[in-house]
Amino acid sequence: NAYDKRKRAALGYAAGKHEGLSVNRRYSDGPIDEQVGVILVEDADGDPISIITNFAAHPTSVGGDDLFSFSADFPGFYYLEMEELLGPGCVPIFLNGAQGNQTTGNPEQKSGWGRTESIGRLLAQRAHKISNSITFGNVELRLFHKEARLPLTLLDNLLPEQVFLQALEINDLLISFFPGEACVELALEMRRRAQTHGYGAHFSVGLQNHLMYLVPRHLYPDPTYESSSTFFGPGIADWLYTNFESMMPGNESGNEEENEDIAEPVLHSQGIANGILLDLVGTPHAIGAARGTAFLNDIQECYKTRVIEPVDDGSALPVTGMFSYIPSFIETKTLALPVLGMGSRSLLQGISLDLIQEMEGMAEGARLPFDAFWLLQNAPLYGMIEDKSVLFATPLCTMFAVVGDRPGTKKLLVGRNLDWALSEKAVITRVHPEKGHAFIQAGFSWNTGVFTAMNDEGLTVCVERVQTKEVMRPEKAPVEFLLRDIVQYADGYEEALDRLRRSSYISGVHVLVAGFVDGEPRAAVVEFGEKIIVREEEDGLLLGVMPDNVVTDESGRSRYAKVAAYLEEIPLVGVQ
């Protein structure tokens, strides 16, 4: 019917701003999209055929008793107002933008349906005013489309492996059709990139092929609805930019997502006694991808035995709540893994974006979804909370520092062993990042946090868990990831100690930090218990746990008593 009624028409567009029609629904000072985009189509006589308005806000302004009623929400009143402004012969169309974290404002301070109507009619009036500035000329249309492979996801039983993407070019206007509910940060960045490619204006249209929410990397750890409802990892924004930029003129050949090959590892490795020594150089993502590729089989096997199998056999699941009602014929991990992945993202809070990008690269190199890789990183912690399985065994460690004359004048000696209940490939990793300090860490093929590390300034950190029961999940970054950022970014002993003092959410561990202040060796143990206690060395000797500590177990007290007795017998440790 529409095709039969086709006729010659003119098309123009413009972009203006609104005031107060939308707000960030998560953070009062969060960004909003102030743009209102308008496209107007007129017939040969100058009468309007259609007007299209692009504006970003969730149409969820109805509350109270009508919360679950069916309605057109504020776009319905936009249609009614626009038909009054332009006449019944004009078809108004509403295209939502990057509405992910945007909701309606309330500039007229109305309540109930009055607020809904106010927003719709004010939007129509603003769009109509913007349309008065539109001029018409020759129009050239170009449609771009592609099939794009999606990042790996734990929700692979519900989400597709690839998605159909489209973009429309109208002269120097570019419209990108996002496959889901993108947060506003993605639209603002996409607009900036379009303008650098020479476009005069850019509109984002959301909800074309619904892949749920698309959030920027820095919001991925936030415990919000949007961040909990995204399943393609913290790099989904980069995926979106890359694919939509590849459809811009001059970039049509940019199908980089079709290239399955990970970049060549930027590492050198050599065998050492009972393990491997790695040297890693490059960007955070490149370092991670190199390491993930090098240990792909190890990481895949660890993920299988420490995450998948405990979920499958129920040992990693709660014994109450919805999981206790799942019938035996349902494959538990289909539901449990995405839920565990969602619930684990808050532990990324407090971790630097560089380290998150490194873990993204490591996950890609190991051919795992990011959420799966992050679950593997937290498997030891989750194992202690459940207190069920040896698969998540915790280390029994010993650590001490000797300063002053004992190791030699103005020298510093840190002793540390890392007992681990599982059979692991020991990996010594030397990291040369683009930013921060180079450092060396002792660990395993799969872990990115640090248990023991030292940077190029001699700053050394070690951690030991002393809590043996009632282990709680921290509210944000687990201690090994806090230490990883400290050893890379802290500018010395005092800064490291200060950051540890401010990390009051940590519990059940002792952290040994050692380094130099004005050339003088310093060492302290930060005890995270009911309160934070800082112990510095006495008479040149510092133990990770005091032998009379009642929190640690009998084995720990015995080990430290032996270390203390041994070191007391040695007046000078010396270089040996």
Side-chain angles (χ1 to χ4, degrees):
N1 187 41
Y3 184 76
D4 289 341
K5 292 181 178 179
R6 71 193 185 279
K7 55 186 175 182
R8 294 186 62 81
L11 182 151
Y13 49 88
K17 292 185 176 182
H18 69 81
E19 292 185 6
L21 294 183
S22 69
V23 296
N24 191 296
R25 71 175 182 172
R26 292 302 162 209
Y27 302 104
S28 59
D29 59 347
I32 64 169
D33 190 349
E34 298 178 329
Q35 178 173 281
V36 176
V38 180
I39 299 174
L40 182 63
V41 185
E42 294 182 345
D43 64 17
D45 296 323
D47 296 323
I49 297 173
S50 180
I51 186 168
I52 301 169
T53 299
N54 176 228
F55 167 73
H58 265 83
T60 53
S61 64
V62 182
D65 294 339
D66 291 322
L67 178 63
F68 295 109
S69 63
F70 288 93
S71 81
D73 207 272
F74 75 82
F77 291 103
Y78 155 83
Y79 296 137
L80 294 175
E81 180 74 10
M82 195 62 83
E83 287 168 355
E84 293 178 12
L85 292 169
L86 293 178
C90 178
V91 179
I93 296 174
F94 174 77
L95 294 178
N96 216 320
Q99 66 170 43
N101 52 2
Q102 305 290 285
T103 191
T104 51
N106 192 8
E108 293 186 333
Q109 299 302 303
K110 299 291 183 69
S111 60
W113 284 99
R115 174 192 174 209
T116 303
E117 180 173 358
S118 168
I119 291 295
R121 293 190 183 277
L122 288 174
L123 176 62
Q125 293 162 18
R126 183 71 187 116
H128 179 251
K129 186 174 182 179
I130 293 170
S131 72
N132 292 331
S133 66
I134 292 175
T135 57
F136 299 89
N138 294 327
V139 174
E140 183 176 339
L141 304 176
R142 294 180 68 187
L143 179 68
F144 306 94
H145 59 87
K146 67 185 294 187
E147 291 277 354
R149 182 176 291 109
L150 287 160
L152 296 175
T153 173
L154 284 177
L155 211 61
D156 55 1
N157 59 314
L158 293 179
L159 294 171
E161 293 183 357
Q162 57 186 26
V163 66
F164 185 66
L165 301 179
Q166 289 179 296
L168 176 65
E169 184 184 278
I170 308 173
N171 291 357
D172 69 342
L173 166 67
L174 179 66
I175 306 175
S176 300
F177 296 88
F178 292 164
E181 300 187 49
C183 287
V184 68
E185 289 88 348
L186 277 62
L188 299 178
E189 175 61 18
M190 199 69 237
R191 187 173 303 153
R192 185 194 68 79
R193 294 185 182 220
Q195 290 170 347
T196 62
H197 282 272
Y199 288 101
H202 178 266
F203 298 170
S204 297
V205 177
L207 307 160
Q208 182 228 9
N209 296 323
H210 204 296
L211 299 176
M212 307 177 84
Y213 281 80
L214 310 172
V215 304
R217 182 177 284 106
H218 72 277
L219 292 184
Y220 195 76
D222 287 11
T224 63
Y225 175 73
E226 294 83 16
S227 298
S228 297
S229 301
T230 185
F231 292 94
F232 295 104
I236 189 63
D238 291 339
W239 174 92
L240 185 112
Y241 304 145
T242 297
N243 279 285
F244 277 98
E245 278 195 282
S246 74
M247 291 189 284
M248 295 180 188
N251 293 282
E252 290 91 338
S253 61
N255 287 327
E256 54 291 302
E257 81 284 356
E258 296 178 4
N259 181 9
E260 296 183 358
D261 295 329
I262 299 293
E264 284 295 317
V266 284
L267 64 88
H268 305 283
S269 65
Q270 66 185 74
I272 57 174
N274 303 314
I276 295 173
L277 172 65
L278 291 185
D279 274 291
L280 291 163
V281 183
T283 64
H285 187 275
I287 284 174
R291 192 173 169 196
T293 302
F295 296 114
L296 183 150
N297 292 333
D298 281 359
I299 294 170
Q300 289 271 355
E301 182 63 23
C302 285
Y303 176 65
K304 175 185 174 183
T305 58
R306 298 177 196 179
V307 178
I308 296 293
E309 290 179 3
V311 169
D312 268 349
D313 65 26
S315 62
L317 300 179
V319 296
T320 59
M322 69 173 182
F323 285 103
S324 63
Y325 296 102
I326 297 178
S328 59
F329 58 82
I330 291 182
E331 187 181 52
T332 309
K333 67 174 179 287
T334 300
L335 175 62
L337 284 176
V339 172
L340 281 170
M342 291 164 61
S344 299
R345 291 178 197 154
S346 63
L347 295 178
L348 290 163
Q349 294 180 91
I351 295 177
S352 68
L353 291 180
D354 280 352
L355 180 50
I356 291 176
Q357 285 185 297
E358 181 179 328
M359 289 191 288
E360 289 176 54
M362 201 163 171
E364 290 174 22
R367 304 295 195 268
L368 285 176
F370 178 87
D371 285 341
F373 183 77
W374 184 233
L375 283 177
L376 174 60
Q377 298 304 298
N378 289 289
L381 171 65
Y382 285 6
M384 288 183 286
I385 295 170
E386 296 295 335
D387 199 22
K388 297 282 187 180
S389 172
V390 70
L391 291 173
F392 302 106
T394 178
L396 296 173
C397 313
T398 309
M399 58 191 189
F400 65 86
V402 186
V403 301
D405 292 334
R406 284 178 179 269
T409 303
K410 293 187 178 182
K411 295 287 182 65
L412 170 65
L413 173 70
V414 176
R416 160 72 158 176
N417 75 332
L418 183 64
D419 298 335
W420 199 256
L422 301 172
S423 176
E424 294 272 17
K425 180 180 292 183
V427 179
I428 306 298
T429 306
R430 287 194 291 237
V431 182
H432 307 270
E434 286 190 321
K435 294 186 291 186
H437 294 283
F439 62 93
I440 187 167
Q441 70 179 89
F444 312 112
S445 59
W446 54 270
N447 74 292
T448 52
V450 302
F451 304 113
T452 309
M454 179 175 65
N455 72 16
D456 53 13
E457 296 293 329
L459 176 66
T460 303
V461 293
C462 311
V463 63
E464 175 173 5
R465 181 164 291 280
V466 296
Q467 194 169 355
T468 56
K469 58 183 179 180
E470 297 181 358
V471 177
M472 302 295 291
R473 200 186 82 158
E475 62 187 33
K476 52 184 180 180
V479 65
E480 60 265 37
F481 299 94
L482 170 66
L483 296 183
R484 163 61 195 270
D485 275 341
I486 286 176
V487 81
Q488 182 174 348
Y489 295 110
D491 286 329
Y493 171 82
E494 292 179 321
E495 183 180 332
L497 196 57
D498 179 63
R499 184 166 177 186
L500 288 168
R501 282 194 178 103
R502 290 185 282 110
S503 301
S504 57
Y505 70 94
I506 298 292
S507 65
V509 298
H510 288 189
V511 174
L512 189 153
V513 56
F516 295 88
V517 177
D518 297 328
E520 296 291 333
R522 297 280 297 278
V525 168
V526 184
E527 299 183 355
F528 292 93
E530 293 183 359
K531 59 181 181 179
I532 296 178
I533 298 174
V534 178
R535 287 191 293 108
E536 294 198 276
E537 52 85 18
E538 294 183 11
D539 192 26
L541 178 61
L542 178 69
L543 298 176
V545 177
M546 298 301 289
D548 59 356
N549 187 297
V550 296
V551 176
T552 194
D553 57 20
E554 184 177 349
S555 172
R557 291 193 293 271
S558 174
R559 283 183 289 116
Y560 276 101
K562 291 178 181 178
V563 172
Y566 178 73
L567 292 176
E568 285 294 340
E569 294 174 0
I570 304 174
L572 182 66
V573 175
V575 177
Q576 305 304 318

